[in-house]
Amino acid sequence: MPPTTRRIPRPTAQRLSLYSRELQVLIGQGRETLSSRELGEKLGVSSAQVRKDLSWIGQSRQTHEAGRSGIGYDCGALYESIRRVVGTNRRWATALVGVGNIGRALLGYGGFVDEGFPIVAVLDCDERLAGKRIGGFVVDPMSSLRKVVQKHHVTIGILAVPRSSAQIVAKQLCDAGIQGILNFAPMKISVSEGVSVANIDLSVALEQLSLDISLDSKRRPSGEDKE
Amino acid sequence: MPPTTRRIPRPTAQRLSLYSRELQVLIGQGRETLSSRELGEKLGVSSAQVRKDLSWIGQSRQTHEAGRSGIGYDCGALYESIRRVVGTNRRWATALVGVGNIGRALLGYGGFVDEGFPIVAVLDCDERLAGKRIGGFVVDPMSSLRKVVQKHHVTIGILAVPRSSAQIVAKQLCDAGIQGILNFAPMKISVSEGVSVANIDLSVALEQLSLDISLDSKRRPSGEDKE
């Protein structure tokens, strides 16, 4: 990884992530080159902004080759350069903690492997589940967490435990040397400095929809009263 | 629903949603009253802001009774008042479209019923799946969408189809009279005016983690190269 990528501002990096998604689709459609204008239009970003963002990548050798004035960027080379910066060209081993409803659903979801975030170990706070086989994994007890993280080079913890134990488990993950947490518990968790958190909260999303529909004055809510 | 709730600003409504979550926990712990200061401290909001937000609810009869100066708010009454405004005291029937990895995982996830958003019908774009039994449901073809929505009073569509068909299905859901879409497809969908969208994007969350870990200059990325 070239040292220049270390200074990329967060908003730029997030746009790079969106660009890579568009590029993936275009490459799948057989496209070979792309202008900053077209890429910007697809995402509602000005072409000047696109060029500025891509200049961050242009500082590394690979995309210097990818940016050709006149005919636009080489889709494949640009895609690979961005993936290198965003880290999606890597494989990040993940450990799932919690085999309740959400945990079991995630074990059945193939997307983690496809996206490069394979689940390599499964743990649960309930000691009685240790040794049981669930979704193709033998469940490890939390007392084995540090050993599991080291053995499988786990970088990311998937937190799928109830709200009541989320903070405790988050701390255990941090202490075990995890670098990022994908948090499915419906609460904000505190983590050690340098540990990243991404939240996926179905309840919040559902509540947002419920709120939007309830507040919309243009129609009567059609939900039925529970009480 | 009192007409006053219709004018609540979005940021206020979103904070109300957070308050109700805290109240639910406190009530579970046996708490009966709560001050605006304590509620604010739990969420990093000033007590003045909390009182201002709750005054929106205070305009409806129920929480007028709930707000007692001196001893704070009655937790139970406040919780119910907020739920009435946010719409979470209702039952919102949902229809799942797409029985791939994500769709099947969602069918196995009990949270929708618990949160008041039961899945009442399952559809898929693949006509060959029509009539098949998956996760306790008989899959309906998309040609039956409008009939299904009307018959089961479906308010919310759960979009769990691949990116390539997400926009087409989103339009079909809007045309069938859906009021909100919970979108699991990794893209921004366009919907009819008045239809609400909440996005759940696992890929974006995973990429954010990958990005954070890759950009963090304090340590070497430990992900392994895929190539």
Side-chain angles (χ1 to χ4, degrees), chain A:
Chain A
M1 218 173 193
T4 52
T5 61
R6 300 286 164 105
R7 292 179 286 114
I8 295 180
R10 173 67 45 93
T12 301
Q14 284 172 338
R15 279 190 300 271
L16 288 174
S17 180
L18 293 175
Y19 300 157
S20 85
R21 201 158 295 229
E22 280 305 323
L23 283 164
Q24 187 181 22
V25 173
L26 289 170
I27 291 166
Q29 292 166 357
R31 279 291 293 274
E32 293 187 354
T33 62
L34 180 70
S35 68
S36 54
R37 192 180 48 76
E38 187 183 347
L39 184 53
E41 274 170 6
K42 283 186 183 295
L43 294 159
V45 175
S46 74
S47 60
Q49 183 67 65
V50 171
R51 282 194 300 273
K52 198 175 158 193
D53 291 340
L54 295 185
S55 75
W56 281 95
I57 311 237
Q59 289 171 15
S60 81
R61 205 173 53 83
Q62 291 82 2
T63 11
H64 218 71
E65 290 162 12
R68 303 180 213 164
S69 66
I71 62 157
Y73 294 90
D74 177 308
C75 291
L78 188 57
Y79 178 63
E80 284 310 320
S81 296
I82 295 179
R83 275 164 54 80
R84 212 167 288 126
V85 171
V86 177
T88 40
N89 66 325
R90 290 164 182 271
R91 174 187 170 278
W92 304 95
T94 70
L96 170 72
V97 183
V99 289
N101 268 336
I102 293 181
R104 284 168 203 251
L106 293 175
L107 282 174
Y109 168 65
F112 286 112
V113 174
D114 301 344
E115 304 266 349
F117 299 82
I119 295 173
V120 297
V122 174
L123 303 97
D124 199 279
C125 301
D126 185 347
E127 301 278 330
R128 291 167 299 181
L129 292 174
K132 293 247 164 82
R133 182 170 282 275
I134 293 176
F137 287 89
V138 174
V139 179
D140 279 307
M142 285 306 282
S143 54
S144 304
L145 179 62
R146 188 181 294 265
K147 210 167 60 189
V148 166
V149 167
Q150 284 171 357
K151 183 179 165 197
H152 298 287
H153 305 287
V154 175
T155 312
I156 292 171
I158 302 173
L159 192 56
V161 301
R163 188 188 160 106
S164 55
S165 48
Q167 184 54 59
I168 298 165
V169 174
K171 186 173 184 314
Q172 291 173 323
L173 286 168
C174 293
D175 292 346
I178 285 276
Q179 295 183 31
I181 294 178
L182 184 62
N183 175 33
F184 284 88
M187 63 176 290
K188 198 172 175 302
I189 50 168
S190 304
V191 293
S192 310
E193 209 195 317
V195 173
S196 309
V197 178
N199 296 296
I200 296 271
D201 195 330
L202 266 179
S203 319
V204 165
L206 288 168
E207 225 164 281
Q208 185 202 317
L209 281 181
S210 155
L211 183 68
D212 284 345
I213 297 170
S214 297
L215 292 186
D216 193 328
S217 57
K218 287 179 206 121
R219 59 188 167 227
R220 295 178 58 85
S222 63
E224 295 155 29
D225 241 305
K226 266 190 238 166
E227 288 107 349

Side-chain angles (χ1 to χ4, degrees), chain A residues 10 17 21 25 86 90-91 102 109 115 163 179 194 196 203 207 210 212-213 219 223-224 226, chain B residues 10 17 21 25 86 90-91 102 109 115 163 179 194 196 203 207 210 212-213 219 222-224 226:
Chain A
R10 173 67 45 93
S17 180
R21 201 158 295 229
V25 173
V86 177
R90 290 164 182 271
R91 174 187 170 278
I102 293 181
Y109 168 65
E115 304 266 349
R163 188 188 160 106
Q179 295 183 31
S196 309
S203 319
E207 225 164 281
S210 155
D212 284 345
I213 297 170
R219 59 188 167 227
E224 295 155 29
K226 266 190 238 166
Chain B
R10 173 67 46 94
S17 179
R21 201 158 294 229
V25 173
V86 177
R90 290 163 182 271
R91 174 187 171 278
I102 293 182
Y109 168 65
E115 304 266 350
R163 188 187 160 106
Q179 294 182 32
S196 309
S203 318
E207 224 164 281
S210 156
D212 284 346
I213 297 170
R219 61 189 164 228
S222 64
E224 298 154 28
K226 266 190 236 162

